[in-house]
Amino acid sequence: MSRFLPLAGLLTSALLSTFVIAADDDKFANVTMKTTPLTNSSYLLEGAGGNIGVVAGKDGLLIIDDQFAPLADKIVTALKAIGSADTLGQPRFVINTHFHGDHTGGNGHFGRNGTIMAHHNVLKRLEQQADIAPAALPVLTYDNGLTVHFNGEDLQLLHLGPGHTDGDTVVLWQNGSVVHMGDLFFKHRFPFIDLEGGGSVTGYRDNVGRMLEMINEDTKVIPGHGGLATKAELVQFKQMLDDCIAWMQQGLASGKSFEQMKATPLPPKWQAWGWQFVSAERWVDTLYQGLSGHSE
């Protein structure tokens, strides 16, 4: 087994936007929520964990992902400051882009007053967690997708197949103004691909490619982690995936072992994309496992 695999549980529950925060209230007390307007009715909230998309207006509030449980009150405060018919900061709808705890930790709070929706596999995986509260579970699930009409926006919820996990949802504003990629996009860094959670290296790459075909140069791109991005930055991310996958496939085709691939430098252009949770070494491990079907 790979010596990196014990980190999978940590990555699953604690991937953060720019740094690692231990899961305790003292650490979360220092987190501040940053609100960025995107359109007349859409916003980005950044705190700790997966980025939150917001649609606000006369119909109330809808949020995409809800970070960690201890941040619920901070999220509510940020939502209250956004113009909406709901002045209590309690969304009517919550969309989970996948099941990881840094994107669903607030479900237990927001699910008490709102309807949580997600892909079927998100419900299945959350139900497997022994300590999950009933209010934290999605009550509306779908297979390939769904369209939500809310506050004058038409939001396409798209499941493109296994990628980051087996239950990913991308949320595309139908007019092309905004897309929330969930963890199918880590801005300027190697992604975490949860192979144990049904993810796929080639599926991840192909799903990013499909989304590039569906957005335009003016689309505001919300990554799962990292600041607001552009289509050009998503194109660069896809180029990194293409280059790194081709690099590993070439090594495997020449019969190189995992140890030999670890000793072979990644394409120079992408060597600096390692970060605290997904170092270059761990990225090589993910590529090897995902493309060879073997663990080391």
Side-chain angles (χ1 to χ4, degrees):
M1 294 294 290
S2 166
R3 65 188 179 88
F4 296 112
L5 286 179
L7 286 176
L10 176 62
L11 284 162
T12 294
S13 62
L15 279 169
L16 303 180
S17 52
T18 54
F19 51 89
V20 183
I21 296 182
D24 62 73
D25 290 348
D26 288 341
K27 295 292 185 180
F28 284 112
N30 297 321
V31 174
T32 58
M33 301 300 301
K34 175 185 175 183
T35 302
T36 303
L38 304 178
T39 71
N40 289 338
S41 61
S42 306
Y43 303 81
L44 165 63
L45 295 186
E46 299 171 77
N51 287 327
I52 299 174
V54 182
V55 177
K58 60 181 178 59
D59 296 330
L61 291 164
L62 175 150
I63 63 173
I64 305 164
D65 289 339
D66 50 35
Q67 298 191 352
F68 292 99
L71 293 174
D73 288 343
K74 291 178 182 287
I75 295 169
V76 168
T77 298
L79 292 174
K80 285 180 180 179
I82 292 174
S84 168
D86 185 329
T87 59
L88 300 177
Q90 299 295 333
R92 288 178 59 190
F93 299 102
V94 178
I95 299 168
N96 290 158
T97 62
H98 59 287
F99 74 94
H100 290 159
D102 58 320
H103 294 255
T104 63
N107 277 13
H109 176 89
F110 294 108
R112 292 198 297 263
N113 297 299
T115 298
I116 301 173
M117 58 186 80
H119 186 265
H120 297 319
N121 289 335
V122 174
L123 174 60
K124 291 178 183 178
R125 293 191 178 276
L126 289 178
E127 284 179 323
Q128 294 170 3
Q129 298 180 11
D131 57 349
I132 195 76
L137 296 174
V139 298
L140 193 161
T141 64
Y142 45 84
D143 187 4
N144 295 324
L146 186 72
T147 301
V148 179
H149 309 279
F150 194 71
N151 284 322
E153 300 284 5
D154 300 314
L155 306 178
Q156 293 180 279
L157 280 54
L158 304 171
H159 173 68
L160 305 175
H164 174 63
T165 69
D166 60 7
D168 302 336
T169 291
V170 174
V171 183
L172 175 65
W173 278 238
Q174 204 162 40
N175 63 10
S177 60
V178 182
V179 63
H180 192 310
M181 293 291 295
D183 277 2
L184 281 172
F185 184 22
F186 288 68
K187 183 178 176 182
H188 295 156
R189 64 189 75 175
F190 296 134
F192 170 49
I193 301 177
D194 188 354
L195 299 176
E196 292 184 326
S200 164
V201 170
T202 54
Y204 191 111
R205 184 268 314 276
D206 293 346
N207 293 345
V208 172
R210 289 179 65 183
M211 291 313 304
L212 284 170
E213 295 174 355
M214 300 179 71
I215 64 176
N216 59 59
E217 301 302 324
D218 297 323
T219 302
K220 295 178 173 65
V221 183
I222 301 174
H225 298 270
L228 186 66
T230 63
K231 181 177 180 179
E233 288 169 317
L234 187 59
V235 168
Q236 183 188 37
F237 182 72
K238 171 67 160 46
Q239 291 172 340
M240 179 277 295
L241 295 170
D242 287 335
D243 288 354
C244 290
I245 288 172
W247 169 84
M248 178 58 73
Q249 288 174 329
Q250 289 167 5
L252 293 172
S254 66
K256 287 187 177 180
S257 68
F258 175 61
E259 291 300 324
Q260 288 174 316
M261 290 307 299
K262 282 201 303 180
T264 303
L266 282 161
K269 187 174 182 179
W270 313 115
Q271 290 175 6
W273 279 42
W275 55 295
Q276 189 163 2
F277 272 141
V278 186
S279 64
E281 190 174 14
R282 180 169 178 83
W283 179 230
V284 172
D285 181 64
T286 298
L287 292 170
Y288 183 84
Q289 289 186 57
L291 295 172
S292 72
H294 300 292
S295 60
E296 292 293 332

